[in-house]
Amino acid sequence: MSDRAYALFEEQQQARGIDLAFVKKSLSELKIETPSWGYGNSGTRFKVFKQTGVPRNPFEKFEDAAQVHQLTGLCPSVAIHIPWDKVEDYSKLRSHAESLGLTIGAVNPNLFQEEEYMLGSVTHTDPAIRRKAIDHLLECVEIARLTGSRDISLWLADGTNYPGQGHLRKRKAWMLEAFEEVYKALDPSMRMLIEYKFFEPAFYHTDLADWGMAYNYALKLGSQAQVLVDTGHHPQGTNIEHIVALLIDEQKLGGFHFNSRKYADDDLIVGSVNPYELFLIFYQIQLAAAEGNDALRDTVNSIAYMIDQSHNIEPKIPAMLRSVLNVQTQYAKALLIHHDEVRQAQEKGDVLGAEDAVRRAFEFDVTPLLHAVREEQGLPRDPMKAYLESGYADRIAARGKDGVSW
Ligand code: PSV
Ligand code: MN
């Protein structure tokens, strides 16, 4: 039945001139990093509902992440957050990850949960607090060295709640000073990914509020500094794919934190609210890769696709599976865009033809294609079903309700 579905799909795409061998190869190379904190308990400021079977330590988070990778073949690395994943011996965590077929991905510093940081971390008026914040960032570079991680992912909660509360330009200078010191500590193979967010936890101004500010720091620092786009960190209506195209063109797109938002930084499952936006992001990325320019291709090949979500009311592992499968689906659909068709329509000024050439790819059902790709890789055709039937959820229930938060 489903083989017939794939034969039909193949026929349909070949008739459109789509190179399915290339599509399949691209899909087999897609990698999505999952975040350790996505396996822990989480909630809002109103309530954290503790779930049964949640990991009790960083080692168990990796065990859960390994399930997601084993079933999808998509998620060989796991991002860590320090101090949420602080351990005495990072080589132990690293070999535990490796024994599960995983590597340790981006190291995320945490400059938002210490008492001292109430009025800022690297932008605090007190030099001793700025020092403490920089030392934490340097500690994260060292952890990246020990864990074999390439990326330090920087997100800062720094900002103010009221006009006059802070000196905006002094804070900008302090931030640059901090970044410069951390940048100098990077090994040549490491990258500093600078994430921005337009509000929250600060509500009047955020020191790193948008892609332009992150880009400005990255430009000043050098080629190892790039911008990280968290899809939940923009005002309503922002054209994220335009930001993506621009950053690729400037070779400054380092990675993504994928999630969905409805109103704010809601951390919902990626692709659950706005799958077309995700598809259009991949369209820009794949278009840049297809244009035959080495610099663009290198930038695209180094993009770190990462999930950044907290699953507050849904079971953690199925939520992560849903997330990475949603990313894979939109990635596959974008691969069906016929770039020549779009280009020809653009050149003729055929507005509706161009729009149609893009949208049509989104409207194909890629389920038969994904089944075929998974089968060729020896993976279950339906990873979610395979997980629900695996008995893993019953086994981890023995962990009880003592799981960690984030
Ligand atoms: C902040 O909202 C953020 O997106 C940053 O990436 C953090 O590291 C992550 O969420 C987890 O709090
Ligand atoms: Mn993020």
Side-chain angles (χ1 to χ4, degrees), residues 232-281:
H233 290 186
H234 307 85
Q236 301 283 26
T238 300
N239 184 334
I240 300 178
E241 58 272 24
H242 182 198
I243 297 170
V244 167
L246 185 142
L247 290 175
I248 293 175
D249 206 57
E250 297 294 333
Q251 293 159 56
K252 281 293 186 194
L253 181 64
F256 285 94
H257 272 175
F258 284 135
N259 48 57
S260 273
R261 72 189 286 279
K262 183 68 180 164
Y263 300 107
D265 186 23
D266 306 323
D267 280 341
L268 301 176
I269 288 176
V270 54
S272 60
V273 176
N274 41 8
Y276 199 54
E277 178 181 74
L278 185 58
F279 164 86
L280 293 176
I281 288 172

Side-chain angles (χ1 to χ4, degrees), residues 37 81 84 108 112 155 195 197 230 233 257 265 308:
W37 55 97
H81 219 293
W84 299 339
N108 290 250
F112 48 91
W155 174 72
E195 181 176 352
K197 179 171 177 176
D230 182 314
H233 290 186
H257 272 175
D265 186 23
D308 179 10

